[in-house]
Amino acid sequence: MAEVLLYAPQGFTNVCVIARTLESFGVGACSVFDPHHLIRPRYGKSYTRRLQTVSAGAFFKVRWQAVAQPLDALAQHAGRCLAVSSSPTAVSLFGFALRADDLFVFGSEGHGIPADVTAACQAEVTIPTSGETQSLNLAVAVGIVLAEHVRQTAGTR
């Protein structure tokens, strides 16, 4: 199954939706470089209620793994690391041969993936769009990428 590394996500609600998507696709763990401290061991009552509602309880089913040094995490990954970006020079996700051992790196909603992190990946892929909006919502992008990964690698699990 694919692995996911979130680089500095900024939206708490997006993280909740991502948790629901990860759990739905059977991704039990997610690595996170989290300078905004969105992932915590405990939350107050109102945040816990939002977590339960938005993630449909999936937030607590995903094992969140803190990453202090993203470049080290990429170097230690046994498979291939793919940066998911909206760059016009990136290769289309739909024309790229995905593998079961891929680690997908997603950047923050506002800043994307830093150049040094993208350079540490073996490839940069994009979800082709035809509208005027420059990029997709982070949670939506994670869902599309995981769905394509399952489609391409269903027989290799």
Side-chain angles (χ1 to χ4, degrees), residues 41-60:
R42 294 172 42 186
Y43 295 89
K45 191 183 280 186
S46 67
Y47 271 84
T48 299
R49 200 172 310 123
R50 275 180 55 200
L51 281 171
Q52 290 287 19
T53 303
V54 177
S55 77
F59 186 89
F60 298 109

Side-chain angles (χ1 to χ4, degrees), residues 1 28 58 63 74 98 101 129:
M1 180 33 95
R63 193 172 57 259
L74 295 178
L98 300 176
D101 64 352
T129 59

Side-chain angles (χ1 to χ4, degrees), residues 5 12-13 51 68 74 85 89 101 107 109 128 137 143 151:
L5 185 146
F12 179 74
T13 301
L51 281 171
L74 295 178
S85 80
T89 61
D101 64 352
E109 295 90 328
N137 170 278
R151 187 189 73 77

Side-chain angles (χ1 to χ4, degrees), residues 1-4 71-82 99-104 122:
M1 180 33 95
E3 293 184 43
V4 172
L71 293 175
D72 291 345
L74 295 178
Q76 293 171 7
H77 180 66
R80 187 173 57 178
C81 300
L82 305 175
R99 303 188 320 214
D101 64 352
D102 286 335
L103 166 70
F104 294 100
Q122 284 75 29

Side-chain angles (χ1 to χ4, degrees), residues 2-5 74 77 79-85 91-93 96-107 113 117-126 145 149 152:
E3 293 184 43
V4 172
L5 185 146
L74 295 178
H77 180 66
R80 187 173 57 178
C81 300
L82 305 175
V84 180
S85 80
V91 177
S92 169
L93 172 71
F96 192 84
L98 300 176
R99 303 188 320 214
D101 64 352
D102 286 335
L103 166 70
F104 294 100
V105 181
F106 293 90
I113 305 170
V117 175
T118 299
C121 294
Q122 284 75 29
E124 185 175 11
V125 297
T126 191
V145 168
H149 186 268
Q152 285 192 31

